[in-house]
Amino acid sequence: HNHLKFLIIEDKETINFIENKEYTFSNLNSEKAQEYLTLLETEGNKSSSINQHIAAIRGFFDYLMDKQSIDSNPFLYVKYQLNRGQNKTISDTEISKAIRYLEEEKEIEIRDRLILLLLIKFGIRGSDICKLSIHDVSYNEKNTTINCNDTTIKIDSPIINKLFLDYINSRLKSTKKEFFLTQFDKPLKRPHIVYITKRFTSLIGLSQSSLVL
């Protein structure tokens, strides 16, 4: 009820949409979030206003995740394309397909698999991935903990923990504070993330614009 009160104050339009569709915060998924984006568009809102609106809602659902009220953010990959009139989102099925591929595929470089999993499974933005330092990542045999933007993300997947261990071992000789590095021991930048995601989305047939970089 506190969450509901907060959203009524901050965003009456969203709460009306949820109530009219008989949704709850816990059963909203990416397809339903996309439906809401379409509603905003048909009501004649400006592109910039729509993106600001979606960003605010995405932040609120991040808050619900932080409070462990929901398991995932349905607005994480919802994005309105400025001046193009096209809505892009990645479906739950596509997310599962991408995660399964990354967890099973051994030919993709370990660093790139980690980055893509952080983007797709955990919703960490590319710019924030580039900012991660070695002090932001704590590893033990059971789980990996990442501190990102004052938020602690616990990763308890054995497969992803193994990827972290392998990558950490591969960069032991580096003295750089940045966690993700290029093959030339330089800090990874956003253009590298864009290249990695473009190559991967092309490989499995996803739209790169559906990922929040």
Side-chain angles (χ1 to χ4, degrees), residues 186-203:
K186 301 291 184 181
L188 209 67
K189 302 295 184 182
R190 190 174 181 279
H192 295 112
I193 304 290
V194 172
Y195 174 75
I196 290 169
T197 56
K198 182 177 181 180
R199 187 171 56 179
F200 175 69
T201 52
S202 175
L203 177 66

Side-chain angles (χ1 to χ4, degrees), residues 123-170:
I124 302 178
R125 292 174 177 268
S127 55
D128 291 328
I129 289 176
C130 293
K131 295 175 184 177
L132 289 176
S133 77
I134 55 175
H135 304 295
D136 293 323
V137 180
S138 301
Y139 175 85
N140 61 46
E141 293 182 357
K142 293 184 178 180
N143 60 63
T144 300
T145 300
I146 298 174
N147 292 316
C148 181
N149 290 333
D150 297 323
T151 300
T152 300
I153 301 172
K154 294 182 179 180
I155 300 174
D156 55 7
S157 164
I159 294 175
I160 301 178
N161 279 326
K162 179 64 164 55
L163 288 174
F164 266 102
L165 177 61
D166 291 344
Y167 179 69
I168 290 171
N169 287 335
S170 72

Side-chain angles (χ1 to χ4, degrees), residues 12-13 19 27 57 74 81 84 91 104-105 141 144 163 165-166 170-172 179 183 198 206 212:
K12 294 180 180 179
E13 190 171 7
E19 288 180 341
N27 73 11
I57 298 171
Q81 299 296 299
R84 292 178 62 183
S91 70
E104 296 175 356
E105 179 57 55
E141 293 182 357
T144 300
L163 288 174
L165 177 61
D166 291 344
S170 72
R171 67 177 307 289
L172 284 177
F179 187 74
Q183 59 180 328
K198 182 177 181 180
L206 293 179
V212 181

Side-chain angles (χ1 to χ4, degrees), residues 112-124:
D112 294 355
R113 289 171 67 191
L114 262 182
I115 289 172
L116 290 163
L117 283 165
L118 292 179
L119 278 169
I120 299 171
K121 185 168 185 174
F122 298 96
I124 302 178

Side-chain angles (χ1 to χ4, degrees), residues 28-35 37 58 72-81 86-102 116-117 119-123 197 200-202 204-213:
L28 272 174
N29 57 28
S30 60
E31 285 82 3
K32 294 172 183 176
Q34 178 69 21
E35 184 181 344
L37 179 59
R58 185 183 299 122
S72 62
N73 188 339
F75 286 88
L76 183 60
Y77 296 107
V78 174
K79 181 180 179 183
Y80 186 80
Q81 299 296 299
Q86 294 181 347
N87 303 332
K88 297 290 184 181
T89 187
I90 181 170
S91 70
D92 294 337
T93 301
E94 289 174 320
I95 291 174
S96 297
K97 174 186 175 182
I99 292 172
R100 186 168 58 252
Y101 187 95
L102 288 167
L116 290 163
L117 283 165
L119 278 169
I120 299 171
K121 185 168 185 174
F122 298 96
T197 56
F200 175 69
T201 52
S202 175
I204 66 171
L206 293 179
S207 170
Q208 184 188 21
S209 61
S210 63
L211 297 180
V212 181
L213 301 180

